Amino acid sequence: MAQKGSKKVPIEDVECEIFVKELEQNYPDIKFSHIANESRSGGQYAKIRGAKLRRMGQRPGMWDYELFIPVYDIDGEVGSYQEIRIEMKRQRGGGSTTSKDQKDWGKVYDLAGIPCKVCFGAKEALEYVAQIVLQCNA
């Protein structure tokens, strides 16, 4: 039970669902995918599946979202795409932390010139996307 006066913070899964719904509604031209790299807890099947995914190349700490923002040319056609990465966390105050592996991937993205941001909640993630869209098409 939450203490009196405490704010209820949605779990990360809920933030992700809100983010995707708003992204699809407001930015239909953005290509994106969720990188399913969540915890493998939940019984024997989850452990077996997790081991298989690791053998197939899944790596710890990969960020949650890979997005490709269209960059339009003078004719209004897509001329290229700007890749960005988002690591989704619960809203601030939800106790969410960034793992060492996630921080390491963030450094890789930075060195590769891929804009990336750890976002605390769907609202922050959507604001980041809007900022990149504006930068790409200014």
Side-chain angles (χ1 to χ4, degrees), residues 4-74:
K4 187 176 183 179
S6 68
K7 180 182 175 190
K8 203 172 184 182
V9 177
I11 62 173
E12 185 177 316
D13 292 3
V14 171
E15 295 291 354
C16 287
E17 290 175 14
I18 293 167
F19 174 66
V20 167
K21 181 179 178 183
E22 293 291 321
L23 190 65
E24 289 175 334
Q25 186 174 11
N26 295 309
Y27 300 98
D29 293 343
I30 292 178
K31 306 294 185 198
F32 71 94
S33 184
H34 176 258
I35 309 301
N37 208 18
E38 284 74 22
S39 170
R40 293 172 194 85
S41 60
Q44 189 63 26
Y45 174 76
K47 290 177 186 175
I48 293 168
R49 180 73 180 146
K52 182 176 183 171
L53 290 171
R54 284 189 297 281
R55 289 192 307 272
M56 292 169 59
Q58 188 179 60
R59 297 292 180 252
M62 287 289 297
W63 283 24
D64 291 314
Y65 290 96
E66 173 182 61
L67 298 92
F68 293 89
I69 310 295
V71 180
Y72 297 98
D73 62 24
I74 197 161

Side-chain angles (χ1 to χ4, degrees), residues 85-134:
R85 294 292 182 123
I86 292 176
E87 173 58 28
M88 185 71 74
K89 297 293 181 189
R90 296 175 77 175
Q91 294 174 29
R92 295 187 192 280
S96 214
T97 59
T98 307
S99 72
K100 180 189 178 312
D101 288 328
Q102 290 168 335
K103 290 175 185 174
D104 290 345
W105 275 109
K107 290 176 188 173
V108 169
Y109 302 142
D110 281 339
L111 290 171
I114 300 169
C116 60
K117 183 175 181 173
V118 175
C119 295
F120 292 88
K123 181 179 181 210
E124 188 174 321
L126 290 162
E127 289 170 353
Y128 178 59
V129 169
Q131 172 192 342
I132 299 296
V133 167
L134 283 175

